[in-house]
Amino acid sequence: MLCTKLDTSNVKIIGDYYLVENDLIIDKKTIYAAINKSRANNNTPHTEQYATDVTGVLAWNNTANIKYFIDPAMNNITGGADWISAINTATQDWTNIPNCAVTFQPVSSASQANIVFYPDNSPAIPACGFISNPIVYASSKFPVNDGIGDFISINADGPPTTFDGKITVMRHEIGHTLGMRHSNMYSTGEPVNGTGMCGQQVFGGNLLHGTIPDDPTSIMNTPYAGVNIINFDAGDTLAVLQMYPDNIQPTFFFKTIIEPANPDPRRDRPNVKKLCLRVDPKNNFWYRVLVDRLDNAGNILQHSSILPPRFSNLIGVGWSTQFIQVIEINTVVNSANTSIYRIGFQNYRGDLVISFPPTTVNW
Ligand SMILES: [Zn+2]
């Protein structure tokens, strides 16, 4: 046998049940490498939210009006009516996150839907959606072809859950279909790259900025005992807004700082003049900040960002809510400098971009 089930020995169990990542199947070599890496990194603080690689999340254009369908076979399983209600509640909860581009709407057939919720014993579900592990509530696809994961499978003979538990499980599984990994994936030793439900290849566990270590209150935390309601916490909101903000409306300004002859030696060079960029994103979203320095003819002298061809190399790029970033230094304090900068901002995937016209800065 080439594959083995995900080793859950590092997963803490709360009560009798827990979630594992999408019933993840992974070869031993990969998982042990991942666990060893996790152990090696035990002293490294890991932060709360992770996303699959940028090619594995939704294109921003696919985030609005995501069409979902609930397979009628949901009515035939234990607690089916509650599951249906929980699905409708959870999709609405995602829709209601303020300033987020993700919205859901129900449709009346699977053929119209971007994502279908099936019981795992439904005649209509792809065979690979069957959940053999009795302690798994549900399993989900990660994003498919720049769109949402195309189905969620609910274990018809899975562990018992309260109604609140069903809502929480659905919020969590929808998070996976939007490209979110477990918030504590590193501390539990989950493989970064692996094979998910239906043989789907999953890549990446990338930090989403502004979140806190592991965060047990995250909707994307695991394990879960299936009882209490878990709401989106601050880290969840920061994460999803980094990926799928409804728009990007930052303000920014330039600021000149002159360091004295005896500045803080840990941080500053003496007797230099710095041109800084201060950014204030709307609603404390975190954006990738792009900085291009231009010559008088508009040619790029130095670039930033990940999007060729206009932005290619890096000079000043960062993620921020509010920060002051040094973008140019002159060692002559009393110099009079003129620089031309073009500033832009991106979401996580880099497919929602705002670029401001070049600005001449005298500093
Ligand atoms: Zn999960």
Side-chain angles (χ1 to χ4, degrees):
M1 192 170 176
L2 293 174
C3 296
T4 183
K5 289 287 184 187
L6 176 66
D7 182 345
T8 55
S9 59
N10 280 356
V11 178
K12 292 174 191 159
I13 298 174
I14 294 175
D16 294 326
Y17 307 108
Y18 57 92
L19 288 167
V20 294
E21 177 122 306
N22 294 295
D23 211 10
L24 201 66
I25 298 168
I26 191 81
D27 70 87
K28 279 184 177 175
K29 198 191 297 181
T30 303
I31 192 169
Y32 289 139
I35 290 170
N36 287 335
K37 183 182 175 195
S38 173
R39 286 175 178 151
N41 289 343
N42 269 351
N43 293 327
T44 305
H46 291 296
T47 44
E48 192 235 339
Q49 294 291 3
Y50 299 90
T52 51
D53 286 344
V54 292
T55 53
V57 301
L58 274 65
W60 188 84
N61 283 338
N62 291 333
T63 54
N65 300 315
I66 296 168
K67 298 175 179 63
Y68 74 94
F69 178 68
I70 303 173
D71 180 30
M74 283 300 302
N75 289 295
N76 304 331
I77 69 171
T78 302
D82 278 353
W83 276 114
I84 291 169
S85 179
I87 292 164
N88 287 318
T89 298
T91 49
Q92 196 59 48
D93 293 337
W94 275 98
T95 297
N96 290 343
I97 294 176
N99 308 306
C100 179
V102 173
T103 58
F104 286 89
Q105 63 179 76
V107 292
S108 56
S109 72
S111 62
Q112 296 174 286
N114 304 115
I115 178 172
V116 181
F117 295 79
Y118 298 102
D120 77 325
N121 60 359
S122 169
I125 194 173
C128 57
F130 177 71
I131 299 172
S132 58
N133 188 337
I135 59 171
V136 172
Y137 302 104
S139 191
S140 49
K141 293 276 288 289
F142 280 99
V144 175
N145 296 333
D146 298 331
I148 193 167
D150 53 3
F151 73 88
I152 289 176
S153 173
I154 292 149
N155 194 348
D157 51 5
T161 58
T162 64
F163 181 55
D164 282 350
K166 291 177 175 65
I167 293 171
T168 300
V169 168
M170 286 298 97
R171 287 173 176 166
H172 175 105
E173 296 301 331
I174 291 169
H176 285 315
T177 66
L178 294 170
M180 297 176 75
R181 300 291 305 263
H182 287 152
S183 59
N184 53 343
M185 62 177 285
Y186 286 100
S187 61
T188 56
E190 285 173 14
V192 173
N193 303 320
T195 304
M197 186 168 69
C198 299
Q200 185 179 26
Q201 296 300 298
V202 179
F203 299 104
N206 299 322
L207 168 69
L208 292 164
H209 297 256
T211 56
I212 62 173
D214 274 353
D215 191 357
T217 65
S218 166
I219 191 73
M220 298 313 296
N221 196 266
T222 188
Y224 173 61
V227 177
N228 58 307
I229 194 79
I230 298 178
N231 296 308
F232 300 104
D233 75 355
D236 295 326
T237 306
L238 280 174
V240 73
L241 293 184
Q242 222 164 108
M243 298 166 76
Y244 311 122
D246 61 356
N247 58 58
I248 296 179
Q249 295 179 326
T251 57
F252 64 91
F253 61 87
F254 297 93
K255 181 178 176 60
T256 303
I257 295 175
I258 297 175
E259 295 295 347
N262 298 299
D264 181 342
R266 294 166 300 182
R267 200 182 61 212
D268 300 317
R269 293 165 57 186
N271 291 318
V272 296
K273 191 175 191 178
K274 297 175 177 175
L275 177 62
C276 303
L277 175 67
R278 163 73 185 257
V279 177
D280 294 295
K282 188 185 81 167
N283 297 323
N284 290 330
F285 294 2
W286 285 60
Y287 303 140
R288 186 179 293 277
V289 182
L290 318 171
V291 183
D292 285 353
R293 191 163 70 89
L294 310 177
D295 67 14
N296 287 327
N299 300 309
I300 295 174
L301 299 173
Q302 291 173 286
H303 318 255
S304 74
S305 169
I306 54 175
L307 281 186
R310 192 174 66 193
F311 302 116
S312 54
N313 301 316
L314 303 180
I315 58 165
V317 59
W319 286 93
S320 184
T321 51
Q322 297 183 341
F323 77 102
I324 292 181
Q325 172 85 35
V326 177
I327 55 176
E328 197 171 344
I329 293 177
N330 195 317
T331 55
V332 182
V333 169
N334 59 4
S335 62
N337 309 293
T338 298
S339 304
I340 303 172
Y341 280 96
R342 180 171 55 206
I343 307 301
F345 302 89
Q346 290 180 343
N347 64 342
Y348 171 73
R349 178 164 164 142
D351 60 349
L352 182 62
V353 183
I354 182 169
S355 181
F356 289 85
T359 304
T360 299
V361 187
N362 296 310
W363 61 288

